[in-house]
């Protein structure tokens, strides 16, 4: 899986054909074409605005002198309606209440909606629009402004979406490299109790092995097995527990290039992990570091 490590690391230096690659610690002024090669999307910062990547919002956030706000989100794979549902839930959890103004407008590749937003700062005009590229990637824009500036806000947001360019997401190469991979994690724990009376002393140990198999057809399988050993003066005990799940997997990058692994298990549960490469031959799902190798379990 050498290619995966090279793509994740070296891919940070790649950009789209046009634009300045988005960096987490940089401000971007009006007229700048900002590029997110991981998602295959670029856009132009509107006149009168300036912005940067906001890790809390997980998007590119801009403001104007009038205190109007724009937030741009990009994903390497997503449908407009799916992202709109996710965003609506996230905003509600943050305390924002939205009242739609009319029905959302939708085409096979776009979605837009206007609403009145009730926030801690008062009532604001809210406008959302999103577009899906031919590669399945997504650019979405959210705008907030004073009610009197509703028409101007819509014009700015629509203009930003019109400036979007879509290419092949770098994350597609990451997915190809992960397909056919075997991730393995082994751990061992031991403990002992000592007593002046040797008959009451005991030792305990356990060995655990976890493994993930990711197939190129989008299927995965996870298994875990733990063996436990207990020894004392009375004898020796051994037990084994095993578990697992399987289903469909997908790897999606956000606007700043963070790879996120999504697992939809056949038992109805879902799992989400941030992917990172701590070193050659290893891959981390959140904070758990796995050894990576090829799998012979996929058809």
């Amino acid at each position: 899986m050498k290619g995966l490590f090279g793509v994740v690391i070296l891919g940070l230096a790649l950009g789209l054909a046009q634009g300045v690659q988005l960096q987490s610690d940089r401000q971007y002024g009006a007229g700048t074409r900002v590029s997110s090669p991981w998602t295959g999307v670029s856009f132009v910062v509107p006149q009168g605005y300036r912005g940067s990547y906001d890790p809390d919002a997980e998007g590119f956030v801009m403001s104007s002198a009038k205190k109007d706000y724009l937030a741009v989100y990009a994903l390497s794979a997503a449908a407009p309606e799916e992202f709109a549902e996710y965003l609506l839930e996230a905003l509600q959890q943050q305390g924002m209440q939205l009242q739609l103004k009319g029905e959302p407008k939708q085409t096979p590749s776009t979605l837009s909606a206007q609403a009145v937003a009730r926030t801690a700062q008062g009532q604001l005009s809210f406008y959302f629009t999103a577009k899906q590229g031919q590669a399945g990637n997504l650019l979405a824009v959210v705008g907030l402004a004073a009610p009197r500036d509703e028409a101007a806000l819509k014009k700015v947001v629509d203009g930003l979406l019109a400036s979007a360019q879509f290419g092949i997401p770098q994350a597609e190469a990451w997915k190809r490299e992960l397909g056919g991979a075997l991730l393995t994690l082994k751990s061992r724990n031991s403990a002992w109790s000592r007593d002046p009376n040797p008959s009451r002393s005991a030792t305990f140990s356990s060995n655990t092995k976890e493994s993930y198999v990711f197939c190129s057809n989008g299927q995965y399988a996870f298994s875990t097995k733990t063996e436990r050993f207990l020894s004392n003066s009375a004898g020796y005990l051994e037990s084994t527990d095993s578990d697992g799940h399987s289903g469909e997997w997908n790897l999606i990058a956000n606007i700043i290039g963070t790879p996120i692994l999504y697992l939809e298990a056949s038992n109805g549960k879902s799992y989400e992990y941030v992917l990172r490469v701590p070193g050659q031959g290893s891959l981390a799902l959140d904070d758990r570091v796995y050894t990576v190798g090829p799998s012979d379990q996929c058809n």
Side-chain angles (χ1 to χ4, degrees):
M1 303 305 295
K2 181 178 180 180
L4 176 62
F5 311 126
V7 168
V8 173
I9 296 172
L10 298 180
L12 301 180
L14 301 178
L16 297 178
Q18 299 179 2
V20 179
Q21 182 175 293
L22 177 61
Q23 299 178 28
S24 61
D25 57 352
R26 178 175 175 180
Q27 287 273 333
Y28 298 83
T32 304
R33 176 167 290 277
V34 179
S35 168
S36 170
W38 318 279
T39 63
V41 173
S42 71
F43 60 92
V44 176
V45 178
Q47 292 299 317
Y49 286 81
R50 186 175 183 84
S52 62
Y53 176 73
D54 185 331
D56 294 328
E58 296 184 357
F60 185 86
V61 177
M62 295 169 275
S63 61
S64 70
K66 294 191 303 180
K67 302 301 182 183
D68 295 344
Y69 292 92
L70 303 178
V72 179
Y73 303 91
L75 295 170
S76 60
E81 58 272 18
E82 293 172 346
F83 182 76
E85 291 176 2
Y86 164 81
L87 181 65
L88 178 61
E89 182 178 346
L91 292 175
Q92 289 177 338
Q93 290 177 353
Q94 295 172 13
M96 181 182 293
Q97 299 298 318
L98 296 175
Q99 181 179 350
L100 284 176
K101 298 181 66 175
E103 292 294 324
K105 298 179 180 179
Q106 188 170 11
T107 72
S109 61
T110 65
L111 176 67
S112 63
Q114 288 183 271
V116 174
R118 293 180 174 83
T119 72
Q121 291 73 39
Q123 184 171 299
L124 297 173
S125 178
F126 175 96
Y127 183 56
F128 168 87
T129 188
K131 182 177 182 179
Q132 188 175 42
Q134 291 186 346
N137 42 0
L138 178 82
L139 180 71
V141 188
V142 173
L144 285 169
R148 65 178 180 275
D149 295 324
E150 179 178 300
L153 174 69
K154 184 177 184 300
K155 183 177 180 180
V156 170
V157 173
D158 286 342
L160 192 156
L161 192 70
S163 77
Q165 294 181 355
F166 293 87
I168 302 299
Q170 185 67 48
E172 289 300 305
W174 303 351
K175 288 176 63 176
R176 288 193 297 271
E177 291 295 337
L178 188 57
L182 169 65
L183 277 58
T184 306
L185 173 60
K186 297 179 180 180
S187 60
R188 178 180 175 83
N189 294 305
S190 61
W192 61 91
S193 63
R194 295 179 179 177
D195 192 277
N197 184 346
S199 66
R200 290 199 293 265
S201 296
T203 61
F204 169 82
S205 65
S206 67
N207 298 317
T208 299
K209 179 181 178 180
E210 297 180 8
S211 66
Y212 282 95
V213 174
F214 296 99
C215 296
S216 299
N217 63 359
Q219 299 294 309
Y220 83 90
F222 169 76
S223 63
T224 178
K225 180 179 179 180
T226 300
E227 297 177 320
R228 299 180 179 86
F229 310 92
L230 176 65
S231 177
N232 57 24
S233 60
Y236 177 82
L237 295 176
E238 179 179 347
S239 64
T240 300
D241 292 330
S242 60
D243 197 3
H245 51 81
S246 61
E248 298 180 349
W249 71 274
N250 198 5
L251 180 64
I252 299 176
N254 63 13
I255 194 171
I256 200 63
T258 302
I260 304 171
L261 179 66
Y262 294 92
L263 305 180
E264 293 292 338
S266 57
N267 60 14
K269 295 183 179 180
S270 60
Y271 306 87
E272 179 180 329
Y273 304 100
V274 173
L275 223 66
R276 60 185 179 86
V277 181
Q280 188 68 31
S282 63
L283 200 61
L285 307 185
D286 288 343
D287 295 325
R288 299 180 68 78
V289 181
Y290 293 79
T291 300
V292 184
S295 171
D296 58 2
Q297 300 179 42
C298 298
N299 295 328

